[in-house]
Amino acid sequence: MPRGSAVIRKGVPVSDSPNISDQTALTTSTGKIWLVTGAILTAVCIAVLIPRLWMTPSGVAAGGIIAVVALYTAMIPVRLGVHSLRVRLWTMATLMILIPIAFFVAAGIVYSTRLGVG
């Protein structure tokens, strides 16, 4: 089988290509899996940041929560409004990657300040 070709499994083409851009989640998904995993990731990030709302510097944990929720919320209109499948899935993947980045920035600032590093 040539490199990058698709195999049919259960009626769905599955790429055997090692390239990330050829993977099923970025080529044939409806986007629902991105919303479900994004919701779980967002809930975990919020659950970790909520107890840090009262730590100094004030407002950083709240800003992190707002950023995480905004990034997840942005996934919904992308899922519903972007008609190009590849653009929709790549945009949703990018937003999902940005969720933990926003979380780690906020949590890192709170914890480094608390530990006296910053």
Side-chain angles (χ1 to χ4, degrees):
M1 183 177 295
R3 187 176 191 170
S5 61
V7 176
I8 304 295
R9 291 190 191 131
K10 296 183 181 179
V12 178
V14 178
S15 174
D16 65 348
S17 171
N19 296 328
I20 287 187
S21 61
D22 293 334
Q23 300 305 310
T24 306
L26 292 174
T27 57
T28 61
S29 172
T30 63
K32 187 181 353 176
I33 190 68
W34 291 105
L35 290 177
V36 171
T37 55
I40 293 167
L41 180 61
T42 300
V44 169
C45 292
I46 291 171
V48 172
L49 286 174
I50 284 178
R52 278 93 188 139
L53 286 172
W54 295 272
M55 292 182 177
T56 57
S58 62
V60 174
I65 291 171
I66 291 168
V68 165
V69 169
L71 289 166
Y72 177 72
T73 303
M75 291 174 73
I76 297 168
V78 168
R79 165 64 180 87
L80 299 174
V82 176
H83 298 290
S84 171
L85 184 63
R86 200 172 241 341
V87 172
R88 177 176 61 217
L89 295 175
W90 274 96
T91 304
M92 291 178 77
T94 302
L95 290 167
M96 181 122 156
I97 290 169
L98 291 173
I99 290 171
I101 291 173
F103 164 75
F104 282 121
V105 167
I109 292 170
V110 169
Y111 281 114
S112 67
T113 304
R114 183 172 173 96
L115 296 173
V117 176

